Amino acid sequence: MGSGGRYEAYEVDLWGRLAALLPSAEDSENFRDCRETGQQEAGLWILLQRLLEHRVPISDRTRAEIEMLAEQWGERLARHDEIIACVRDSDEEGSIRLLPDDRSTPVDPAQAGMRDSILTGLLVVPWLECLRCARVLARVHAQEPWGDLRYLASHYVVWHHTAPDDEHEIFDDHDLHSAFELLLSCE
Protein backbone atom coordinates (compact mmCIF):
# COMPACT_ATOMS: atom_id res chain seq x y z
CA MET A 1 0.00 0.00 0.00
CA GLY A 2 1.47 3.38 -1.01
CA SER A 3 1.78 6.30 1.38
CA GLY A 4 -1.50 7.76 0.03
CA GLY A 5 -3.31 4.50 0.83
CA ARG A 6 -1.64 4.32 4.25
CA TYR A 7 -2.70 7.87 4.98
CA GLU A 8 -6.27 7.19 3.88
CA ALA A 9 -6.44 4.10 6.14
CA TYR A 10 -4.90 6.05 9.04
CA GLU A 11 -7.31 8.97 8.60
CA VAL A 12 -10.35 6.65 8.47
CA ASP A 13 -9.14 4.97 11.67
CA LEU A 14 -8.40 8.32 13.33
CA TRP A 15 -11.86 9.75 12.52
CA GLY A 16 -13.38 6.55 13.94
CA ARG A 17 -11.35 6.81 17.16
CA LEU A 18 -12.21 10.50 17.52
CA ALA A 19 -15.91 9.83 16.87
CA ALA A 20 -15.86 7.28 19.71
CA LEU A 21 -14.82 10.05 22.12
CA LEU A 22 -17.95 12.08 21.47
CA PRO A 23 -20.65 12.02 24.15
CA SER A 24 -23.61 11.00 21.98
CA ALA A 25 -24.31 8.75 19.01
CA GLU A 26 -25.74 11.76 17.18
CA ASP A 27 -22.51 13.75 17.67
CA SER A 28 -20.45 10.76 16.48
CA GLU A 29 -22.63 10.35 13.38
CA ASN A 30 -22.51 14.08 12.57
CA PHE A 31 -18.73 14.07 12.97
CA ARG A 32 -18.28 11.05 10.67
CA ASP A 33 -20.72 12.53 8.14
CA CYS A 34 -18.55 15.64 7.89
CA ARG A 35 -15.62 13.53 6.67
CA GLU A 36 -17.81 11.56 4.27
CA THR A 37 -19.20 14.76 2.72
CA GLY A 38 -15.83 16.54 2.47
CA GLN A 39 -16.54 18.98 5.31
CA GLN A 40 -13.57 18.10 7.50
CA GLU A 41 -13.30 21.65 8.80
CA ALA A 42 -16.88 21.49 10.14
CA GLY A 43 -16.11 18.07 11.61
CA LEU A 44 -13.14 19.45 13.53
CA TRP A 45 -15.35 22.25 14.86
CA ILE A 46 -18.01 19.75 16.02
CA LEU A 47 -15.38 17.51 17.61
CA LEU A 48 -13.69 20.26 19.58
CA GLN A 49 -16.91 21.96 20.66
CA ARG A 50 -18.27 18.69 22.07
CA LEU A 51 -14.99 17.67 23.72
CA LEU A 52 -14.81 21.06 25.44
CA GLU A 53 -18.53 21.30 26.35
CA HIS A 54 -18.57 17.85 27.91
CA ARG A 55 -15.02 18.06 29.34
CA VAL A 56 -14.08 14.79 27.68
CA PRO A 57 -10.51 13.85 28.71
CA ILE A 58 -8.14 13.12 25.85
CA SER A 59 -4.60 11.75 25.79
CA ASP A 60 -1.62 13.81 24.73
CA ARG A 61 -1.30 11.62 21.64
CA THR A 62 -4.94 12.24 20.71
CA ARG A 63 -4.37 15.98 21.19
CA ALA A 64 -1.33 15.76 18.87
CA GLU A 65 -3.34 13.77 16.31
CA ILE A 66 -6.16 16.35 16.35
CA GLU A 67 -3.60 19.12 15.89
CA MET A 68 -2.02 17.19 12.99
CA LEU A 69 -5.46 16.66 11.43
CA ALA A 70 -6.25 20.36 11.83
CA GLU A 71 -2.94 21.18 10.12
CA GLN A 72 -3.77 18.78 7.29
CA TRP A 73 -7.10 20.57 6.67
CA GLY A 74 -5.80 24.15 7.08
CA GLU A 75 -7.50 24.61 10.46
CA ARG A 76 -4.56 24.48 12.87
CA LEU A 77 -4.47 28.21 13.61
CA ALA A 78 -8.25 28.39 14.02
CA ARG A 79 -8.41 25.32 16.30
CA HIS A 80 -5.10 25.40 18.21
CA ASP A 81 -6.40 27.16 21.35
CA GLU A 82 -9.38 24.78 21.52
CA ILE A 83 -7.10 21.77 21.11
CA ILE A 84 -4.82 22.81 23.96
CA ALA A 85 -7.87 23.67 26.12
CA CYS A 86 -9.18 20.08 25.99
CA VAL A 87 -9.09 18.23 29.30
CA ARG A 88 -6.01 16.01 29.66
CA ASP A 89 -6.48 12.32 30.39
CA SER A 90 -4.48 11.90 33.59
CA ASP A 91 -4.29 8.08 33.26
CA GLU A 92 -2.51 8.18 29.92
CA GLU A 93 1.15 7.28 29.58
CA GLY A 94 2.67 9.88 27.31
CA SER A 95 4.37 8.88 24.10
CA ILE A 96 3.83 11.92 21.92
CA ARG A 97 2.71 15.38 22.77
CA LEU A 98 2.01 18.79 21.39
CA LEU A 99 4.84 21.06 22.51
CA PRO A 100 3.80 23.94 24.76
CA ASP A 101 3.69 27.29 22.98
CA ASP A 102 6.74 28.50 24.94
CA ARG A 103 8.80 25.67 23.37
CA SER A 104 7.48 26.36 19.87
CA THR A 105 9.49 29.47 19.15
CA PRO A 106 10.54 29.77 15.49
CA VAL A 107 14.28 29.31 14.94
CA ASP A 108 16.62 29.70 12.02
CA PRO A 109 17.34 26.21 10.61
CA ALA A 110 21.11 26.82 10.84
CA GLN A 111 20.75 27.46 14.60
CA ALA A 112 19.07 24.05 14.84
CA GLY A 113 21.98 22.41 12.98
CA MET A 114 20.12 22.12 9.65
CA ARG A 115 22.20 23.45 6.82
CA ASP A 116 20.03 22.27 3.90
CA SER A 117 19.73 24.90 1.16
CA ILE A 118 16.01 24.09 0.81
CA LEU A 119 15.52 25.61 4.30
CA THR A 120 17.46 28.82 3.65
CA GLY A 121 15.42 31.88 4.55
CA LEU A 122 12.75 29.83 6.33
CA LEU A 123 11.99 29.33 10.02
CA VAL A 124 11.60 26.01 11.85
CA VAL A 125 8.81 25.85 14.44
CA PRO A 126 9.06 22.87 16.84
CA TRP A 127 5.58 21.39 17.11
CA LEU A 128 5.13 17.73 18.20
CA GLU A 129 7.52 15.70 20.35
CA CYS A 130 8.05 11.98 20.88
CA LEU A 131 8.74 11.53 24.59
CA ARG A 132 10.48 8.20 24.03
CA CYS A 133 13.19 9.24 21.59
CA ALA A 134 13.11 13.07 21.91
CA ARG A 135 12.54 13.56 18.19
CA VAL A 136 10.50 16.58 17.18
CA LEU A 137 8.24 17.18 14.21
CA ALA A 138 8.48 20.83 13.22
CA ARG A 139 6.64 22.99 10.74
CA VAL A 140 8.83 25.04 8.40
CA HIS A 141 7.42 28.43 7.39
CA ALA A 142 8.40 31.39 5.27
CA GLN A 143 8.15 34.73 7.01
CA GLU A 144 5.84 37.43 5.68
CA PRO A 145 7.37 40.89 5.01
CA TRP A 146 5.55 42.23 8.11
CA GLY A 147 7.13 39.55 10.33
CA ASP A 148 4.36 36.96 10.82
CA LEU A 149 4.85 33.39 9.68
CA ARG A 150 3.14 32.45 6.45
CA TYR A 151 -0.17 30.71 7.19
CA LEU A 152 0.71 27.33 5.65
CA ALA A 153 3.91 25.39 6.25
CA SER A 154 6.18 24.94 3.24
CA HIS A 155 7.87 21.84 4.70
CA TYR A 156 7.96 19.61 7.75
CA VAL A 157 11.11 18.32 9.40
CA VAL A 158 11.75 15.58 11.95
CA TRP A 159 14.92 15.82 14.04
CA HIS A 160 16.41 15.35 17.50
CA HIS A 161 16.19 18.87 18.87
CA THR A 162 18.39 17.94 21.83
CA ALA A 163 21.22 17.02 19.47
CA PRO A 164 20.91 19.63 16.69
CA ASP A 165 23.76 18.27 14.57
CA ASP A 166 22.02 14.91 14.40
CA GLU A 167 20.41 13.84 11.14
CA HIS A 168 17.07 15.24 10.19
CA GLU A 169 14.57 14.46 7.48
CA ILE A 170 12.67 17.08 5.47
CA PHE A 171 9.19 16.46 4.05
CA ASP A 172 7.28 18.51 1.47
CA ASP A 173 4.19 20.42 2.55
CA HIS A 174 1.85 17.72 1.16
CA ASP A 175 3.62 14.90 3.04
CA LEU A 176 2.69 15.70 6.64
CA HIS A 177 1.49 12.16 7.29
CA SER A 178 4.88 10.64 6.38
CA ALA A 179 6.57 13.07 8.77
CA PHE A 180 4.09 12.10 11.50
CA GLU A 181 4.69 8.39 10.78
CA LEU A 182 8.44 8.90 11.17
CA LEU A 183 7.89 10.68 14.49
CA LEU A 184 5.85 7.69 15.69
CA SER A 185 8.27 5.06 14.34
CA CYS A 186 10.11 4.54 17.64
CA GLU A 187 6.93 3.20 19.21
Side-chain angles (χ1 to χ4, degrees):
M1 184 182 300
S3 67
R6 279 195 327 269
Y7 177 73
E8 178 69 20
Y10 169 78
E11 190 176 290
V12 167
D13 175 68
L14 177 58
W15 279 74
R17 286 187 285 120
L18 295 174
L21 295 172
L22 294 170
S24 74
E26 181 182 355
D27 287 336
S28 294
E29 185 177 329
N30 288 340
F31 175 69
R32 279 195 277 275
D33 285 349
C34 286
R35 182 181 184 281
E36 295 300 318
T37 59
Q39 298 177 33
Q40 286 84 351
E41 297 88 347
L44 287 166
W45 182 86
I46 289 170
L47 173 72
L48 289 163
Q49 293 308 306
R50 295 305 179 267
L51 292 176
L52 289 167
E53 284 172 16
H54 295 277
R55 302 195 43 80
V56 176
I58 63 171
S59 69
D60 285 341
R61 179 179 172 144
T62 299
R63 186 184 320 276
E65 288 178 309
I66 295 170
E67 180 94 358
M68 192 265 309
L69 193 61
E71 172 79 1
Q72 183 77 30
W73 292 104
E75 288 285 300
R76 190 189 59 75
L77 287 175
R79 301 285 156 238
H80 177 74
D81 289 343
E82 295 165 347
I83 294 167
I84 60 173
C86 287
V87 175
R88 185 174 185 273
D89 182 352
S90 61
D91 292 336
E92 184 249 346
E93 266 190 51
S95 62
I96 186 168
R97 71 174 177 168
L98 180 62
L99 282 169
D101 289 342
D102 65 348
R103 290 200 41 219
S104 296
T105 305
V107 296
D108 182 290
Q111 289 177 314
M114 298 176 217
R115 310 222 184 279
D116 298 84
S117 62
I118 195 168
L119 300 177
T120 301
L122 301 175
L123 293 172
V124 174
V125 183
W127 181 32
L128 304 173
E129 177 181 39
C130 176
L131 298 173
R132 293 185 177 141
C133 68
R135 282 189 296 188
V136 169
L137 169 55
R139 300 181 322 275
V140 180
H141 292 270
Q143 195 167 20
E144 297 289 3
W146 54 88
D148 290 345
L149 296 180
R150 196 160 287 159
Y151 179 68
L152 298 174
S154 53
H155 300 287
Y156 299 95
V157 64
V158 175
W159 96 105
H160 286 88
H161 73 291
T162 57
D165 293 329
D166 205 352
E167 288 188 28
H168 57 278
E169 190 162 343
I170 300 170
F171 298 84
D172 289 331
D173 61 338
H174 63 275
D175 208 10
L176 172 58
H177 181 256
S178 294
F180 192 68
E181 270 185 329
L182 179 59
L183 184 67
L184 296 176
S185 66
C186 79
E187 293 188 337

